[in-house]
Each structure stands twice: as structure tokens, then as C-alpha cells.
Amino acid sequence: MNRKKQRGKHAVISGIRMPQLRCTRVSESGILRRVALALCACLLFTTVFVGCGTEASDEPVDPNKLQVMASFYTMYDFAQKIGGEHVQVTCMVPSGTEPHDWEPSTKDITRMEQSDVFIYNGAGMEHWVSDVLAGLSNKKLISVEASQGVSLLRSAEEEDEPRP
């Protein structure tokens, strides 16, 4: 049998002294204010921490593997599947980023400088490649243009233009 006694701001139930809870009424404007504050906090949290996830991971370099830089995900996936356990592949363009508009940072160029192989699509996809490769001092870097030797299809717009 539970016995309940009132003693000040505490209730005693079966010999256990527990704080008594007070029920307060919150107005609609108070609720809206709290919801707005919670949404602002979530937005701030998302803004601050989503930016932290876009930076490429600084995976330690394995000296026993061939170091490969790939310009974007398709080239990364290609290199990873071909090289398997013998390569350590780094994708330069972060996921969710448009590869046509992306340009490498100083950190990306430094990583390219330390790589053994650089794989890129070519065919005008990475407009920055020729400038970056010309500026590298690593003359042992093997650059692989995946579209080299491939006959590209012309779009309908290009077919209407006269060939030079």
C-alpha cells in the first residue's frame, strides 16, 4: 500500500521522500518562443558542424602502397577497383561538390606533389589540371588522362557548329 504525505515541497511515498513536481501552464507564445529557439540552435549546430565534414580525411600515408590522387569520385572508384589493396587512393573533390566548378586548394596541390599517380578525366572536365601539373616540382608523378584516345561524342549543339 502506498501512503502519501505532504511535507513542505516534498511528497513522501512509501517512506521515500521525493520532490513534488509543480505543473505550470505555458502560454502559446512561450511555446512558440521555445520552438523558435530550438530551431535556431539546430540551424547553428548544422551550419557549424556540416562544414567540418567537407574536408578530406587526413589518412596516414602507407609507404607500402602506391599513392594515387583522383580528381573526382568516378576516377577514385576506378583507381580503387583496379589497384585494390596495392594502392591508397585519395579523392580530391569532396562528395556533393560539382567537379566542373571545383578547384584544388593548396593542401590538394601539396598532396598531389607527394603522390605517385594522378588520375583525371580530361576532355575539359577539370579545367585546372594543365596549370597545376605545370606548376608541380614532382617530375616522377605519373598523370593519367582517362579520356585520352577516346573518341568523344558531339552534342547536337556542337554538330550544328562548323568544324575548324
Side-chain angles (χ1 to χ4, degrees):
M1 244 208 281
N2 286 344
R3 283 185 16 211
K4 185 175 179 181
K5 294 181 185 176
Q6 290 285 104
R7 290 190 184 160
K9 293 184 181 179
H10 293 82
V12 177
I13 300 174
S14 298
I16 300 172
R17 188 174 179 201
M18 299 183 66
Q20 186 176 10
L21 300 175
R22 290 180 50 188
C23 201
T24 58
R25 216 177 146 152
V26 180
S27 67
E28 282 185 36
S29 64
I31 291 173
L32 289 175
R33 204 171 322 164
R34 288 180 183 177
V35 168
L37 183 61
L39 287 174
C40 286
C42 287
L43 181 63
L44 179 64
F45 176 80
T46 302
T47 303
V48 169
F49 290 106
V50 165
C52 296
T54 60
E55 187 68 31
S57 65
D58 288 327
E59 189 176 331
V61 175
D62 186 347
N64 299 322
K65 294 184 178 184
L66 190 66
Q67 298 303 308
V68 178
M69 290 290 289
S71 60
F72 64 101
Y73 181 76
T74 306
M75 299 295 107
Y76 166 86
D77 190 47
F78 169 74
Q80 190 65 52
K81 287 183 174 151
I82 299 298
E85 63 186 38
H86 305 288
V87 295
Q88 184 173 8
V89 185
T90 303
C91 186
M92 295 177 76
V93 177
S95 63
T97 304
E98 176 60 40
H100 292 96
D101 302 329
W102 181 85
E103 291 198 20
S105 67
T106 307
K107 183 177 181 181
D108 295 317
I109 294 171
T110 302
R111 292 180 100 179
M112 275 182 72
E113 191 77 59
Q114 298 166 351
S115 296
D116 300 309
V117 178
F118 170 59
I119 300 174
Y120 65 103
N121 185 70
M125 176 86 167
E126 303 96 337
H127 59 89
W128 48 267
V129 169
S130 59
D131 293 334
V132 170
L133 287 176
L136 293 178
S137 62
N138 179 0
K139 300 306 176 196
K140 292 183 179 181
L141 177 69
I142 299 169
S143 62
V144 178
E145 182 179 357
S147 64
Q148 187 176 17
V150 175
S151 298
L152 302 175
L153 298 175
R154 294 174 55 96
S155 70
E157 294 170 356
E158 291 176 324
E159 289 178 2
D160 293 339
E161 297 174 6
R163 289 188 178 192

